[in-house]
């Protein structure tokens, strides 16, 4: 077996937890910067984000944040706009959920911005063809007296009446 010649493995690369729990000062946008909400992650340190000015941009996550700050769809970020490419930007800061709520309260983000959601927008819409628990429960309640109640509906009803574990 080869001898280890490095200074440590992946745990050393991860480094110490640098007090992420502490409160940090809220950073507001400056000239050449814009707030955005991540629409989807593309991989390779890139994401697609909808900026507050209404432009959809391809955003590059800067190296200081790469593999250290995890960004997901729906997160509020601060991007630096490029002078030479209007459809591209660079992510310079990810706001924590409480910071995003503060930005919305201060009026920096529009009122129609949806926070705390996995996918930016569209979660209230029902997907055609999908089976929802509410629909199943309504069918169970409507057909309790009939003889031909499907077993999966009875199971779904029994599961819904159990006390919640969470």
């Amino acid at each position: 077996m080869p001898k280890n010649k490095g200074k440590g493995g992946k745990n050393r690369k991860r480094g110490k937890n640098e007090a992420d729990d502490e409160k940090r000062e809220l950073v507001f946008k400056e000239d050449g910067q814009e707030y955005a909400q991540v629409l989807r992650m593309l991989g390779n340190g890139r994401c697609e984000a909808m900026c507050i000015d209404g432009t959809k941009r391809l955003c590059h996550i800067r190296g200081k944040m790469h593999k250290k700050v995890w960004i997901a769809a729906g997160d509020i970020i601060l991007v630096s706009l490029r002078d030479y490419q209007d459809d591209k930007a660079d992510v310079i800061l990810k706001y924590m959920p409480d910071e995003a709520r503060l930005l919305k309260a201060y009026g920096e983000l529009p009122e129609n911005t949806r926070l705390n959601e996995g996918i930016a927008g569209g979660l209230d819409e029902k997907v055609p063809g999908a089976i929802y628990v509410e629909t199943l429960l309504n069918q169970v309640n409507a057909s309790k007296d009939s003889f031909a109640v499907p077993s999966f509906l009875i199971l779904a009803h029994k599961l819904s009446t159990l006390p919640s574990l969470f």
Side-chain angles (χ1 to χ4, degrees), residues 19-20 25 30 57 71 74 83 91 101-102 104 107-108 120 125 129 137 142-144 146-147:
D20 288 336
E25 187 176 329
E30 298 174 1
R57 289 188 170 96
I71 298 176
D83 296 335
V91 179
R101 283 191 293 274
L102 280 174
K104 193 170 181 179
E108 294 285 322
E125 302 163 359
L137 292 176
S143 62
K144 277 186 180 176
S146 68
F147 290 32

Side-chain angles (χ1 to χ4, degrees), residues 29-44:
K29 72 174 183 175
E30 298 174 1
D31 289 338
Q33 296 176 349
E34 192 64 59
Y35 301 112
Q37 189 167 24
V38 178
L39 296 176
R40 62 186 178 136
M41 295 302 296
L42 300 174
N44 199 21

Side-chain angles (χ1 to χ4, degrees), residues 59-121:
C59 299
H60 177 264
I61 302 170
R62 60 184 292 199
K64 186 176 180 180
M65 297 176 65
H66 190 66
K67 290 192 177 181
K68 292 177 179 65
V69 178
W70 292 101
I71 298 176
D75 288 344
I76 302 295
I77 55 176
L78 181 66
V79 296
S80 175
L81 304 177
R82 296 182 179 180
D83 296 335
Y84 51 94
Q85 291 174 315
D86 191 44
D87 61 335
K88 292 187 180 180
D90 301 299
V91 179
I92 56 177
L93 181 71
K94 175 196 167 193
Y95 289 104
M96 299 298 163
D98 58 331
E99 294 173 329
R101 283 191 293 274
L102 280 174
L103 283 175
K104 193 170 181 179
Y106 289 147
E108 294 285 322
L109 297 176
E111 289 299 319
N112 61 359
T113 303
R114 303 171 89 185
L115 303 177
N116 301 331
E117 296 176 2
I119 301 170

Side-chain angles (χ1 to χ4, degrees), residues 1 7-8 12 14 20 23 47 50 66 83 86 89 109 117 141 154-155:
M1 284 180 60
K7 294 182 177 152
R12 181 182 181 277
R14 287 182 184 160
D20 288 336
K23 295 283 184 185
C47 65
M50 178 62 76
H66 190 66
D83 296 335
D86 191 44
L109 297 176
E117 296 176 2
N141 290 334
I154 295 171
L155 177 64

